[in-house]
Amino acid sequence: MKMLKTLTTCAAASVALIHTQTLPGFAQQTAKLGDDEIASVAVVANKNDIGFARIAEKKSKNADILQFAKTMASDHQSVIDQAVALVTKLKVTPKDNAVSKKMTADAKKTEKMLNSKSGAAFNKAYIDNEVVYHKAVISAVETVLIPQARNAELKSLLQAVVPTLKAHLEHADMLQSKFTK
């Protein structure tokens, strides 16, 4: 069950990125993704958020931001680890696709933006990105990934991760209110 929850989180993050940063209207405008492509999107989405967290760990001095970033890095790495275990068990090889490539390119732009900021401006930019990211992931998981997943175990995993994603969003929303001026 824990593995299922973690993989779900990974996939949700991927879909959210697809939904908000990569392809607006994704559910309506994009061809269906196979389970191998969903796996790729999930891994890329988690790696991207780990990258954002690593930047926060280096640049921020704020204890709340540092703790949040540590949680994001840990949770998303756990999802990647569980996703790898699941795809290995299912004998699915994640397949790079237009969505995962676009997500990688968008993450590089976000990383560049985050690296250009410091102090309070960095903290605000980081947490604003995390709020948008998690809203997108939740939406993508619920409207794109779950409906498109063909494997029952993958679909269950995606369904199980939604509460964790919502908890991440609540935490990010709470932190965001501290940095809004």
Side-chain angles (χ1 to χ4, degrees), residues 100-134:
S100 60
K101 288 176 184 177
K102 177 75 167 115
M103 289 170 53
T104 298
D106 288 347
K108 288 180 183 187
K109 290 176 189 173
T110 299
E111 289 173 355
K112 183 176 180 181
M113 178 273 298
L114 290 172
N115 279 315
S116 74
K117 300 192 178 298
S118 61
F122 171 81
N123 292 333
K124 182 171 180 358
Y126 171 70
I127 205 64
D128 286 351
N129 182 66
E130 287 297 305
V131 167
V132 169
Y133 175 83
H134 283 88

Side-chain angles (χ1 to χ4, degrees), residues 7-19 21-22 37-53 72-73 75-77 79-80 96 99-104 107 111 129-130 133-134 136-138 140-141 145 165:
L7 184 54
T8 304
T9 302
C10 180
S14 320
V15 174
L17 278 178
I18 295 168
H19 222 290
Q21 296 176 355
T22 306
E37 294 167 315
I38 291 171
S40 177
V41 168
V43 170
V44 168
N46 281 284
K47 284 182 179 180
N48 289 349
D49 208 30
I50 291 169
F52 305 149
M72 292 304 98
D75 286 359
H76 289 287
Q77 185 59 56
V79 171
I80 289 171
D96 203 15
V99 173
S100 60
K101 288 176 184 177
K102 177 75 167 115
M103 289 170 53
T104 298
E111 289 173 355
N129 182 66
E130 287 297 305
Y133 175 83
H134 283 88
V137 170
I138 292 164
V141 170
L145 294 184
L165 292 171

Side-chain angles (χ1 to χ4, degrees), residues 153-166:
E153 195 170 350
L154 176 59
K155 187 176 286 244
S156 292
L157 179 78
L158 293 169
Q159 292 166 331
V161 77
V162 172
T164 300
L165 292 171
K166 288 181 178 180

